[in-house]
PDB file of all heavy atoms in Angstrom:
ATOM      1  N   LEU A 289    -158.886-143.497-201.930  1.00 94.00           N
ATOM      2  CA  LEU A 289    -160.257-143.919-201.751  1.00 94.00           C
ATOM      3  C   LEU A 289    -161.324-142.904-201.506  1.00 94.00           C
ATOM      4  O   LEU A 289    -162.502-143.123-201.482  1.00 94.00           O
ATOM      5  CB  LEU A 289    -160.247-144.927-200.566  1.00 94.00           C
ATOM      6  CG  LEU A 289    -159.575-146.249-200.684  1.00 94.00           C
ATOM      7  CD1 LEU A 289    -159.749-147.111-199.445  1.00 94.00           C
ATOM      8  CD2 LEU A 289    -159.933-146.943-202.071  1.00 94.00           C
ATOM      9  N   VAL A 290    -160.810-141.660-201.524  1.00 92.00           N
ATOM     10  CA  VAL A 290    -161.693-140.444-201.417  1.00 92.00           C
ATOM     11  C   VAL A 290    -162.312-140.134-202.831  1.00 92.00           C
ATOM     12  O   VAL A 290    -163.299-139.416-202.925  1.00 92.00           O
ATOM     13  CB  VAL A 290    -161.046-139.298-200.810  1.00 92.00           C
ATOM     14  CG1 VAL A 290    -160.691-139.468-199.362  1.00 92.00           C
ATOM     15  CG2 VAL A 290    -159.873-138.729-201.638  1.00 92.00           C
ATOM     16  N   MET A 291    -161.736-140.708-203.871  1.00 89.00           N
ATOM     17  CA  MET A 291    -162.265-140.410-205.251  1.00 89.00           C
ATOM     18  C   MET A 291    -163.691-140.936-205.353  1.00 89.00           C
ATOM     19  O   MET A 291    -164.075-141.885-204.768  1.00 89.00           O
ATOM     20  CB  MET A 291    -161.327-141.067-206.261  1.00 89.00           C
ATOM     21  CG  MET A 291    -159.936-140.341-206.292  1.00 89.00           C
ATOM     22  SD  MET A 291    -158.644-141.212-207.155  1.00 89.00           S
ATOM     23  CE  MET A 291    -159.354-141.466-208.719  1.00 89.00           C
ATOM     24  N   GLU A 292    -164.476-140.144-206.112  1.00 84.00           N
ATOM     25  CA  GLU A 292    -165.893-140.403-206.160  1.00 84.00           C
ATOM     26  C   GLU A 292    -166.267-141.752-206.738  1.00 84.00           C
ATOM     27  O   GLU A 292    -167.269-142.318-206.351  1.00 84.00           O
ATOM     28  CB  GLU A 292    -166.561-139.287-206.947  1.00 84.00           C
ATOM     29  CG  GLU A 292    -166.457-137.886-206.494  1.00 84.00           C
ATOM     30  CD  GLU A 292    -167.020-137.733-204.977  1.00 84.00           C
ATOM     31  OE1 GLU A 292    -167.859-138.482-204.629  1.00 84.00           O
ATOM     32  OE2 GLU A 292    -166.557-136.803-204.293  1.00 84.00           O
ATOM     33  N   ALA A 293    -165.349-142.324-207.541  1.00 82.00           N
ATOM     34  CA  ALA A 293    -165.721-143.663-208.162  1.00 82.00           C
ATOM     35  C   ALA A 293    -165.886-144.711-206.994  1.00 82.00           C
ATOM     36  O   ALA A 293    -166.689-145.714-207.153  1.00 82.00           O
ATOM     37  CB  ALA A 293    -164.527-144.063-209.063  1.00 82.00           C
ATOM     38  N   ILE A 294    -165.201-144.468-205.879  1.00 91.00           N
ATOM     39  CA  ILE A 294    -165.329-145.421-204.708  1.00 91.00           C
ATOM     40  C   ILE A 294    -166.150-144.817-203.649  1.00 91.00           C
ATOM     41  O   ILE A 294    -167.134-145.362-203.143  1.00 91.00           O
ATOM     42  CB  ILE A 294    -163.959-145.744-204.139  1.00 91.00           C
ATOM     43  CG1 ILE A 294    -162.998-146.449-205.177  1.00 91.00           C
ATOM     44  CG2 ILE A 294    -164.043-146.586-202.937  1.00 91.00           C
ATOM     45  CD1 ILE A 294    -163.562-147.797-205.716  1.00 91.00           C
ATOM     46  N   ALA A 295    -165.915-143.493-203.310  1.00 88.00           N
ATOM     47  CA  ALA A 295    -166.580-142.846-202.152  1.00 88.00           C
ATOM     48  C   ALA A 295    -168.139-142.821-202.379  1.00 88.00           C
ATOM     49  O   ALA A 295    -168.938-142.743-201.383  1.00 88.00           O
ATOM     50  CB  ALA A 295    -166.009-141.581-201.850  1.00 88.00           C
ATOM     51  N   ASP A 296    -168.536-142.624-203.663  1.00 89.00           N
ATOM     52  CA  ASP A 296    -169.926-142.530-203.986  1.00 89.00           C
ATOM     53  C   ASP A 296    -170.679-143.805-203.700  1.00 89.00           C
ATOM     54  O   ASP A 296    -171.940-143.837-203.637  1.00 89.00           O
ATOM     55  CB  ASP A 296    -170.164-142.095-205.416  1.00 89.00           C
ATOM     56  CG  ASP A 296    -170.312-140.572-205.518  1.00 89.00           C
ATOM     57  OD1 ASP A 296    -170.283-139.941-204.528  1.00 89.00           O
ATOM     58  OD2 ASP A 296    -170.561-140.072-206.636  1.00 89.00           O
ATOM     59  N   ARG A 297    -169.991-144.922-203.686  1.00 90.00           N
ATOM     60  CA  ARG A 297    -170.624-146.207-203.756  1.00 90.00           C
ATOM     61  C   ARG A 297    -170.432-147.046-202.425  1.00 90.00           C
ATOM     62  O   ARG A 297    -171.139-148.009-202.163  1.00 90.00           O
ATOM     63  CB  ARG A 297    -170.124-147.082-204.935  1.00 90.00           C
ATOM     64  CG  ARG A 297    -170.598-146.468-206.212  1.00 90.00           C
ATOM     65  CD  ARG A 297    -169.794-147.079-207.460  1.00 90.00           C
ATOM     66  NE  ARG A 297    -170.419-146.514-208.682  1.00 90.00           N
ATOM     67  CZ  ARG A 297    -170.137-145.320-209.146  1.00 90.00           C
ATOM     68  NH1 ARG A 297    -169.394-144.474-208.427  1.00 90.00           N
ATOM     69  NH2 ARG A 297    -170.705-144.855-210.290  1.00 90.00           N
ATOM     70  N   TYR A 298    -169.372-146.753-201.680  1.00 92.00           N
ATOM     71  CA  TYR A 298    -168.963-147.475-200.516  1.00 92.00           C
ATOM     72  C   TYR A 298    -168.582-146.529-199.390  1.00 92.00           C
ATOM     73  O   TYR A 298    -167.963-145.571-199.599  1.00 92.00           O
ATOM     74  CB  TYR A 298    -167.712-148.413-200.872  1.00 92.00           C
ATOM     75  CG  TYR A 298    -167.928-149.331-201.975  1.00 92.00           C
ATOM     76  CD1 TYR A 298    -167.640-148.887-203.306  1.00 92.00           C
ATOM     77  CD2 TYR A 298    -168.430-150.630-201.891  1.00 92.00           C
ATOM     78  CE1 TYR A 298    -167.800-149.731-204.465  1.00 92.00           C
ATOM     79  CE2 TYR A 298    -168.566-151.478-202.970  1.00 92.00           C
ATOM     80  CZ  TYR A 298    -168.252-151.025-204.235  1.00 92.00           C
ATOM     81  OH  TYR A 298    -168.424-151.918-205.345  1.00 92.00           O
ATOM     82  N   GLY A 299    -168.960-147.022-198.190  1.00 93.00           N
ATOM     83  CA  GLY A 299    -168.536-146.283-196.968  1.00 93.00           C
ATOM     84  C   GLY A 299    -167.055-146.434-196.791  1.00 93.00           C
ATOM     85  O   GLY A 299    -166.347-147.379-197.274  1.00 93.00           O
ATOM     86  N   PRO A 300    -166.393-145.520-196.030  1.00 94.00           N
ATOM     87  CA  PRO A 300    -165.013-145.494-195.904  1.00 94.00           C
ATOM     88  C   PRO A 300    -164.441-146.799-195.179  1.00 94.00           C
ATOM     89  O   PRO A 300    -163.355-147.269-195.616  1.00 94.00           O
ATOM     90  CB  PRO A 300    -164.724-144.254-194.952  1.00 94.00           C
ATOM     91  CG  PRO A 300    -166.030-143.931-194.357  1.00 94.00           C
ATOM     92  CD  PRO A 300    -167.058-144.353-195.309  1.00 94.00           C
ATOM     93  N   GLY A 301    -165.139-147.356-194.254  1.00 96.00           N
ATOM     94  CA  GLY A 301    -164.666-148.541-193.657  1.00 96.00           C
ATOM     95  C   GLY A 301    -164.865-149.749-194.536  1.00 96.00           C
ATOM     96  O   GLY A 301    -163.936-150.532-194.766  1.00 96.00           O
ATOM     97  N   GLU A 302    -166.029-149.831-195.252  1.00 97.00           N
ATOM     98  CA  GLU A 302    -166.263-150.880-196.185  1.00 97.00           C
ATOM     99  C   GLU A 302    -165.192-150.867-197.338  1.00 97.00           C
ATOM    100  O   GLU A 302    -164.734-151.864-197.795  1.00 97.00           O
ATOM    101  CB  GLU A 302    -167.730-150.654-196.775  1.00 97.00           C
ATOM    102  CG  GLU A 302    -168.073-151.782-197.740  1.00 97.00           C
ATOM    103  CD  GLU A 302    -169.549-151.482-198.335  1.00 97.00           C
ATOM    104  OE1 GLU A 302    -169.894-150.311-198.295  1.00 97.00           O
ATOM    105  OE2 GLU A 302    -170.068-152.408-198.958  1.00 97.00           O
TER     106      GLU A 302
END
Side-chain angles (χ1 to χ4, degrees):
L289 293 187
V290 295
M291 291 163 59
E292 300 299 337
I294 300 296
D296 264 2
R297 292 164 176 79
Y298 303 89
E302 180 187 17

